[in-house]
Structure formats: C-alpha cells, structure tokens
Amino acid sequence: MVANVNPIFTDIPNIGFVNGAVGPNTAKDGTGTTDLIFTAGADGSFVQKIKFRPRGTNVATVARIFLNNGGVPSTATNNMLYEEVGLPATTNTEVAAIVGLELPMNIALPAGWRIYVAIASVVAGGYAITAIGGDY
C-alpha cells in the first residue's frame, strides 16, 4: 500500500444551490422530484456541508440527500440515499430569524458525481439549499 504523504486541498471553490425546493417526493431511491445542488468538477470535488434555509412558513418534513454517479437520476441504480435530515416546522416572521440547519458532509466525490436533494412533503415557503465545497 502506498501512503499519501502529501495533503490534498481543493483548488477552486464549488458552490451549488437550489432556491425554493418545495417537494413532495417520498421515494427513497433518488427518483421522482429531486433538485440538483452539486456537481463534482473534472478532477473530483470535496463537499464540506449542505445548508438548509427555510424561505417562510413550512410544515415539518424530511430532506433526503442522494449521491448520484453522474447518470440520469430517474434510474434508481444511479443513486444512493446518503443521508436524511429532519426539517422542523417554521413560521414566517419579520421580527426574528427563522432557524436553518447545517448538515456536515466532509466527503470526496469522483469527477462528474452529483448531489441531489428531495423534500418529502409539500412545503409552502420552500427551502434554499446550498452545498459548499471545492474542486481539486
């Protein structure tokens, strides 16, 4: 086995997002209504985290994060359910911040791989979802 003695750092910031994800999608295989939030660069990428920001009043729901091998997401074998995160009910207000959620990822993705997100229930306000990472 050859040890990697030199650390690898990302070279180019790579930030992907969707502004207004509203669901619904109850599929647990990455098919159905999903939103593309990240695509790995030509030499692969590192994804640090995903942020979920409510855009107003929403019912409680679940966000599902899928890793995709670069193929069409409507083919279940191209997707892997990576994580689920509970999103609490939120109420739109102009006098206090609506609390968001941050999901640590800290994963390397091969070139061309993607991250899709699905919201399980219909939500009125929607979510701004941002993936933060970098390309090698």
Side-chain angles (χ1 to χ4, degrees), residues 46-135:
F46 182 82
V47 181
Q48 179 187 15
K49 61 187 168 185
I50 298 175
K51 295 186 71 143
F52 298 85
R53 295 291 313 156
R55 294 175 18 135
T57 299
N58 293 311
V59 297
T61 190
V62 173
R64 293 185 177 94
I65 295 86
F66 297 94
L67 301 184
N68 171 276
N69 64 9
V72 294
S74 58
T75 302
T77 55
N78 290 333
N79 310 312
M80 180 195 77
L81 177 59
Y82 181 76
E83 187 66 78
E84 292 181 308
V85 61
L87 300 174
T90 58
T91 302
N92 194 31
T93 177
E94 302 306 323
V95 297
I98 302 173
V99 177
L101 187 134
E102 190 170 290
L103 175 67
M105 294 290 285
N106 295 318
I107 61 169
L109 290 179
W113 278 52
R114 301 176 191 140
I115 298 176
Y116 287 88
V117 174
I119 303 295
S121 306
V122 174
V123 292
Y127 283 88
I129 305 170
T130 307
I132 299 170
D135 297 340

